[in-house]
Amino acid sequence: MAIDLSTCGNIPSNVSTILNDHIEEFRKIEFLDELLEISELHDVVVALDQVAESQGVVLYHYTRNFRETLAREGLALKSGKERRSEFLAQFKDQLSQSQIQKLRVGWDNYFNSEQNRSRDERIWFNLTLSALSNGGAFPLLSHYGGEVVYMPFSRDPDLSNFLGSIGEPLIVRAIANVDSLTTFDVYPWGKTWLSTFHKELNPDAIQKDFDVYTKQPIPPECIQSIEVVSGH
């Protein structure tokens, strides 16, 4: 069963036994990196990471879209150019010619090869729901089409309002094997999972989370749920 790193109730009992010996440190120390200077807790991170590697992880994808589309198609791999072309084909009748021109110019100016390299044929996720409370998910939930559509226009009231009128703010909860995922730290699964435990004991603790991406499509059968986020 894929591991949900945003809850600590599923931490293996042998690891919980070790964690219980360090409750006071978790309550007193704010930063996980400081806790990991304790060799026993560093070993715990490695052990938790190995559990996640063997069982897969739950991923959280923030988007503004249509529930029925995601339930039917899953999360598809496409280039930004493809997504922008599909967006215009779908919504051009609801846009003025000046808006269409502004979109095209904005996209051409913003999406250079470097911008495309980090987004094309990639699906991005977080490992917890912390982006809901720290504001990180707000732009994705507020603008239809993802970054490949809205990034040049987040401060343009006209187009930003239009993009905010399409679809619903959604959290897609998906599962994947970690060997299909790329992130930018060592032991990301173990660190996130232990950070969740830390946060439960110490409300002042900083929740670790990581941006991760896959270059493989997420089919509908790998989506556990699609939930509407209220207030966006």
Side-chain angles (χ1 to χ4, degrees):
M1 180 183 294
I3 303 296
D4 187 345
L5 305 175
S6 70
T7 178
C8 57
N10 51 3
I11 289 178
S13 57
N14 62 318
V15 174
S16 294
T17 299
I18 299 171
L19 296 179
N20 288 337
D21 292 335
H22 296 277
I23 295 299
E24 287 308 309
E25 289 100 320
F26 280 106
R27 287 176 173 160
K28 291 177 181 177
I29 296 173
E30 184 175 346
F31 297 101
L32 185 69
D33 289 345
E34 186 176 345
L35 285 166
L36 295 185
E37 294 174 6
I38 301 170
S39 61
E40 202 170 22
L41 294 181
H42 181 271
D43 292 344
V44 161
V45 160
V46 176
L48 291 175
D49 207 76
Q50 291 172 344
V51 172
E53 286 185 346
S54 68
Q55 296 188 223
V57 292
V58 173
L59 304 165
Y60 294 96
H61 179 76
Y62 301 100
T63 185
R64 190 175 189 94
N65 210 310
F66 300 99
R67 277 176 283 179
E68 59 273 19
T69 301
L70 295 176
R72 182 178 65 250
E73 300 178 3
L75 299 172
L77 285 181
K78 295 179 183 179
S79 69
K81 184 177 181 180
E82 286 178 283
R83 294 187 188 279
R84 292 187 286 273
S85 177
E86 290 175 357
F87 174 84
L88 278 184
Q90 186 172 1
F91 297 108
K92 64 182 180 181
D93 292 342
Q94 300 175 44
L95 294 160
S96 67
Q97 285 303 310
S98 63
Q99 288 175 316
I100 292 173
Q101 180 65 14
K102 186 160 53 171
L103 283 167
R104 286 176 168 154
V105 170
W107 288 335
D108 286 344
N109 289 338
Y110 188 87
F111 290 108
N112 55 29
S113 58
E114 183 178 348
Q115 291 289 340
N116 289 333
R117 192 180 309 116
S118 65
R119 295 182 175 90
D120 283 0
E121 308 291 340
R122 298 182 181 187
I123 306 168
W124 287 88
F125 302 93
N126 286 133
L127 301 175
T128 78
L129 294 168
S130 59
L132 287 177
S133 57
N134 66 24
F138 181 81
L140 294 165
L141 297 172
S142 301
H143 301 90
Y144 177 85
E147 290 186 354
V148 296
V149 171
Y150 81 74
M151 278 299 283
F153 312 110
S154 59
R155 296 185 180 181
D156 181 313
D158 177 31
L159 291 175
S160 183
N161 288 339
F162 178 75
L163 293 170
S165 70
I166 306 169
E168 298 176 290
L170 304 170
I171 299 173
V172 181
R173 191 172 184 264
I175 58 173
N177 294 323
V178 301
D179 58 7
S180 70
L181 303 172
T182 300
T183 188
F184 308 99
D185 206 330
V186 294
Y187 310 122
W189 332 113
K191 286 179 180 178
T192 302
W193 206 358
L194 186 60
S195 181
T196 297
F197 177 83
H198 186 196
K199 185 73 174 175
E200 185 167 290
L201 287 174
N202 182 350
D204 295 325
I206 307 302
Q207 172 73 57
K208 282 270 189 186
D209 198 350
F210 295 93
D211 294 320
V212 305
Y213 70 85
T214 182
K215 290 186 174 182
Q216 297 181 15
I218 303 294
E221 58 268 25
C222 289
I223 292 178
Q224 290 188 333
S225 65
I226 303 170
E227 301 175 15
V228 178
V229 182
S230 60
H232 289 272

